[in-house]
């Protein structure tokens, strides 16, 4: 029995030994498998750091290369996940673990991430980690995650440098202030070379001005600001002077720094390499400096970066130099040296803001030289420019209370006057008229230049730039209208008039294009028989918003905006059509008079237009009389040829408003007309003996030349009796009838 029990014990012991041996064998096999796998990974890339995470035990194997990447020895760092977590940048831990989890549970096909890991020296390096998973024997879950790390810091640094470099170029393109860009450039190159400090100095004349140096001590920056350049004045002073690179290995011993090292050495700067900043035209703009806190000369990478940094900085400096030049051109009038229009606007806006805060007043003068175009046309633009410079010198002598004098362009100037009362404002305006009108000698000719001035006051006449300029310009227009060589203060009524004229101009174009005007007729009566022999067609316009607009207003505007041609065409066609209709109704021997603009006599299409209207309406040409003002009597060949062409058509011609223009009696012999119309101006004062003599002379002269005479504006029987006595042929005026619509005239006929 004892023997049996002893035997059974030996069997159990043997079983335990066999079981233990099997487990040992399995562990050895497993470890051998892991080692083989790690060896394969190690062979896969000798420069990669291998790691192996046993998910079941939550332990991590770190290869010696993996540790050395982060600056650790082989015996350092514990093999667990906590160690890994402590090394990964806090901002990226969750992201990396989530990526690993997604891969392990099968939601993604691969695991590859980029992250930052902390080096033993405290800096972060960029790592790319790639791994694959090991599945258990059942194929249901991952039990290990094995991979390797690659140090991509240099590649990443290069990528980040390019991104930052592009960002700086974008800042330059967008016009970011230079000082901000300078700091970004310095920080960019300092990030590539730990311990380096950079500075940029800009050359102004022969002095260097501080540009940007975010890592340099302020005391040093202040010390070198304004430094006069020279061949032995530090690294930057020498490089800007010579236009060449200057490398100083040791500031303490280099003679270039003998007068500057006391400002440098206390701040830990021991070497300085300087590259001149050059423009695209090879002009020196400044210097880029690189400093270390130990003596050294640049290696190949640092040398290349010194050139690169100077080139990048040159883009900023040249941009600012060009912008400065552009501002000078934009803000300064090159001919006179006065402020330009752009600068005036900026200054005026600032002055308005300041005056609002201080509750102060100022005056804006808008000055225009009278008839300056004549000087350019007769003496040439070169002489005109010299004359403008002379006028500018005179304006400088006006008054010490002037804020600003500006030339807006051409012969227009503006003055801003510090002002508290209208007496001061008026005195300056009078002084301005006086100094401008002093005699000038231009190309041997004595010239008296005058000017017109419009004055607007802040805040009464406008409280912003636009309204003040508009007020001054409106006042200037009034001074011009009243005869020039004078000044005019802005009045609110000016704006109302200008606004009304603008509306008339705006609506008139539409009214003409859409035939919204109409015609009234006033009769012309034979003084001896009392019979109606003609009618004058008068254009009329009633607008829903403006009401009845006087012809004297809209006809002048039609001339100015180029709509007189379609207006005349409308009146001609309407009047001739009316004559044709009356003829069909049995009213014959009535002609129609139509006013035409002198500008038509310079239009090659005018005669064909008249011919076409006559053909369309089928009235005899002698039933149409065209009235033109005395301006056309001026003996221009083109005028005469058009007169002749119209006479050839058989159309009658009349000189309207005779006696009020500038025509001479002698010039009448060049024109073959049928009638003179005496202006109502003479009849208004018919009781005066001189007036009677003038009317008698005009009638006698016209009859001697074979012309008939029509007197306009007859309103009283006494006027009619005088005209009958003097032998006038026809009369027109309210005494007979006012302008009426065609229906009323038909009844009279």
């Amino acid at each position: 029995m004892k023997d049996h029990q002893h035997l059974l014990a030996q069997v159990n012991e043997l079983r335990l030994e066999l079981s233990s041996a099997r487990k040992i064998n399995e562990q050895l096999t497993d470890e051998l498998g892991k080692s083989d796998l790690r060896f394969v990974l190690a062979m896969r890339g000798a420069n990669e750091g291998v790691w192996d995470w046993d998910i079941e035990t939550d332990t991590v194997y770190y290869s010696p290369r993996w540790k050395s990447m982060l600056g650790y020895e082989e015996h350092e760092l514990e093999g667990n996940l906590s160690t890994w977590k402590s090394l990964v940048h806090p901002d990226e831990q969750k992201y990396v673990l989530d990526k690993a989890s997604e891969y392990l549970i099968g939601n993604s096909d691969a695991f590859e991430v980029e992250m930052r890991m902390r080096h033993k020296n405290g800096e972060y390096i960029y790592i790319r980690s790639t791994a694959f998973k090991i599945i258990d024997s059942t194929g249901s879950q991952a039990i290990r995650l094995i991979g390797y790390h690659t140090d991509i810091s240099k590649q990443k640094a290069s990528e980040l440098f390019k991104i930052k470099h592009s960002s700086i170029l974008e800042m330059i393109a967008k016009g970011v202030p230079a000082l901000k860009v300078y700091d970004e450039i310095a920080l960019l190159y300092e990030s590539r070379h730990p311990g380096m400090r950079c500075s940029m100095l800009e050359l102004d004349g022969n002095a260097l001005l501080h540009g940007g140096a975010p890592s340099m001590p302020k005391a040093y920056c202040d010390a070198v600001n304004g430094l006069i350049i020279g061949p032995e004045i530090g690294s930057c002073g020498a490089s800007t002077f010579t236009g060449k690179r200057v490398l100083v290995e040791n500031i303490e011993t280099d003679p270039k720094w003998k007068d500057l090292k006391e400002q440098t050495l206390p701040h830990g700067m021991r070497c300085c390499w300087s590259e001149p900043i050059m423009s695209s035209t090879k002009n020196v703009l400044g210097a880029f400096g690189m400093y270390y806190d130990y003596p050294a000369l640049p290696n190949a990478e640092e040398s290349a970066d010194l050139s690169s940094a100077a080139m990048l900085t040159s883009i900023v400096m040249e941009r600012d130099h060009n912008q400065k030049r552009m501002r000078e051109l934009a803000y300064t009038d090159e001919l006179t040296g006065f402020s330009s229009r752009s600068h005036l606007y900026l200054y005026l806006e600032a002055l308005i803001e300041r005056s609002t805060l201080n509750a102060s007043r100022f005056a804006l003068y808008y000055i225009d030289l009278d008839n300056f175009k004549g000087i350019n046309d007769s003496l040439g633009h070169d002489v005109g420019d010299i004359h403008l410079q002379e006028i500018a010198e005179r304006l400088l002598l006006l008054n010490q209370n002037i804020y600003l004098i500006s030339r807006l362009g051409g012969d227009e100037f503006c003055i801003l006057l510090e002002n508290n009362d209208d007496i001061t404002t008026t005195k300056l305006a009078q002084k301005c008229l006086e100094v401008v009108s002093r005699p000038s000698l231009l190309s041997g000719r004595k010239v008296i230049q005058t000017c017109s001035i419009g004055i607007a006051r802040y805040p009464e006449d406008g409280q912003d730039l636009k309204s003040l300029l508009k007020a001054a310009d409106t006042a200037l227009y009034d001074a011009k209208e009243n005869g020039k060589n004078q000044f005019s203060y802005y009045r609110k009524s000016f704006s109302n008039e200008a606004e009304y004229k603008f509306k008339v101009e705006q609506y008139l174009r539409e009214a003409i294009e859409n035939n919204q005007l109409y015609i009234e007729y006033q009769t012309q009566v034979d003084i001896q028989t009392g019979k109606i022999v003609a009618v004058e067609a008068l254009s009329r316009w009633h607008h829903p918003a403006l009401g009845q607009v006087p012809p004297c207003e809209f006809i002048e505007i039609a001339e100015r905006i180029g709509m007189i041609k379609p207006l005349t065409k409308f009146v001609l066609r309407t009047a001739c059509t009316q004559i044709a209709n009356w003829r069909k109704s049995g009213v014959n021997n009535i002609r129609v008079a139509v006013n035409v603009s002198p500008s038509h006599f310079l239009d090659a299409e005018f005669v064909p237009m008249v011919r076409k209207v006559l053909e369309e309406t089928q009235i005899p040409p002698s039933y149409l009389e065209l009235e033109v003002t005395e301006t056309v009597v001026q003996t221009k060949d083109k005028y005469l040829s058009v007169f002749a062409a119209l006479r050839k058509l058989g159309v009658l011609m009349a000189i309207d408003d005779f006696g009020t223009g500038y025509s001479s009696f002698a010039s009448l012999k060049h024109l073959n007309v049928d009638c003179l119309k005496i202006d109502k101006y003479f009849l208004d004062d018919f009781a005066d003996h001189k007036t009677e003599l003038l009317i008698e002379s005009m009638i006698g002269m016209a009859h001697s030349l074979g012309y008939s005479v029509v007197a306009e504006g007859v309103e009283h029987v006494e006027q009619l009796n005088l005209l009958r006595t003097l032998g006038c042929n026809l009369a027109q005026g309210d005494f007979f009838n006012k302008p009426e619509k065609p229906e009323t005239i038909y009844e009279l006929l």
Side-chain angles (χ1 to χ4, degrees), residues 94-129:
K94 184 177 184 305
Y95 163 74
V96 177
L97 287 172
D98 287 347
K99 291 281 286 186
S101 176
E102 289 292 305
Y103 174 59
L104 290 172
I105 63 177
N107 287 346
S108 61
D109 297 330
F111 174 79
E112 183 172 332
V113 294
E114 291 182 3
M115 57 185 166
R116 287 170 291 173
M117 298 192 75
R118 191 179 69 253
H119 195 274
K120 188 177 182 178
N121 63 14
E123 296 177 2
Y124 280 93
I125 64 173
Y126 282 89
I127 296 291
R128 180 183 291 116
S129 184

Side-chain angles (χ1 to χ4, degrees), residues 332-342 344 372 385 388 392 405-414:
T332 305
D333 175 58
E334 285 193 295
L335 184 66
T336 63
F338 288 164
S339 293
S340 66
R341 182 188 296 268
S342 299
L344 170 70
F372 177 75
D385 287 348
L388 285 172
I405 305 179
S406 172
R407 179 180 175 230
L408 302 186
D411 59 349
E412 295 181 330
F413 298 85
C414 269

Side-chain angles (χ1 to χ4, degrees), residues 65-80:
R65 175 61 183 152
W66 189 96
K67 294 179 180 180
S68 67
M69 276 186 190
L70 299 174
Y72 293 96
E73 299 295 332
E74 187 175 345
H75 65 275
E76 296 182 284
L77 297 180
E78 295 181 4
N80 55 51

Side-chain angles (χ1 to χ4, degrees), residues 306-545:
L306 181 57
S307 299
S308 171
M311 186 176 295
L312 183 59
T313 308
S314 73
I315 300 174
V316 190
M317 283 192 182
E318 189 161 19
R319 179 204 70 176
D320 270 31
H321 277 240
N322 290 337
Q323 288 180 344
K324 182 179 180 181
R325 177 58 180 157
M326 288 169 64
R327 281 194 297 271
E328 289 175 354
L329 292 174
Y331 294 163
T332 305
D333 175 58
E334 285 193 295
L335 184 66
T336 63
F338 288 164
S339 293
S340 66
R341 182 188 296 268
S342 299
H343 187 225
L344 170 70
Y345 289 175
L346 290 174
Y347 189 94
L348 187 52
E349 284 183 332
L351 180 58
I352 290 171
E353 185 176 345
R354 191 164 69 247
S355 300
T356 302
L357 291 174
N358 300 335
S360 57
R361 303 173 69 215
F362 66 87
L364 171 64
Y365 295 72
Y366 205 134
I367 303 168
D368 182 83
L369 303 184
D370 298 329
N371 306 315
F372 177 75
K373 185 177 182 296
I375 293 176
N376 277 338
D377 292 345
S378 60
L379 303 180
H381 287 272
D382 291 343
V383 175
D385 287 348
I386 293 171
H387 184 49
L388 285 172
Q389 290 172 331
E390 182 181 359
I391 296 298
E393 290 175 2
R394 296 178 187 179
L395 293 178
L396 284 173
L397 303 175
L398 284 175
N399 194 297
Q400 296 301 314
N401 290 328
I402 289 175
Y403 283 127
L404 185 78
I405 305 179
S406 172
R407 179 180 175 230
L408 302 186
D411 59 349
E412 295 181 330
F413 298 85
C414 269
I415 294 177
L416 289 173
L417 175 69
E418 180 182 3
N419 164 51
N420 289 314
D421 58 75
D422 289 345
I423 295 175
T424 305
T425 309
T426 299
K427 283 183 178 179
L428 179 65
Q430 292 169 337
K431 183 68 174 176
C432 184
L433 293 173
E434 186 269 318
V435 298
V436 170
S437 62
R438 290 173 187 170
S440 300
L441 195 63
L442 302 176
S443 295
R445 302 183 188 182
K446 183 179 179 181
V447 175
I448 303 294
Q449 177 69 68
T450 62
C451 69
S452 301
I453 307 171
I455 306 172
R457 293 154 294 187
Y458 175 88
E460 299 98 307
D461 301 331
Q463 298 182 18
D464 56 49
L465 181 145
K466 185 177 178 181
S467 60
L468 270 175
L469 287 171
K470 181 180 177 182
D473 186 45
T474 304
L476 171 64
Y477 181 80
D478 181 69
K480 291 277 189 185
E481 286 282 292
N482 290 329
K484 305 178 182 179
N485 192 26
Q486 58 185 284
F487 64 89
S488 176
Y489 281 98
Y490 171 77
R491 296 195 301 271
K492 253 184 182 177
S493 59
F494 292 167
S495 288
N496 296 334
E497 293 169 8
E499 185 178 355
Y500 173 76
K501 286 183 178 179
F502 176 76
K503 287 181 178 179
V504 171
E505 180 179 322
Q506 185 180 16
Y507 296 137
L508 179 62
R509 191 182 301 274
E510 180 182 310
I512 294 174
E513 290 174 349
N514 297 330
N515 292 325
Q516 294 173 354
L517 280 72
Y518 63 96
I519 304 296
E520 289 186 339
Y521 300 88
Q522 189 171 37
T523 60
Q524 293 179 355
V525 178
D526 186 313
I527 291 179
Q528 302 304 323
T529 66
K531 184 179 180 181
I532 297 173
V533 297
V535 292
E536 181 178 2
L538 302 169
S539 54
R540 297 289 186 260
W541 179 29
H542 184 276
H543 188 270

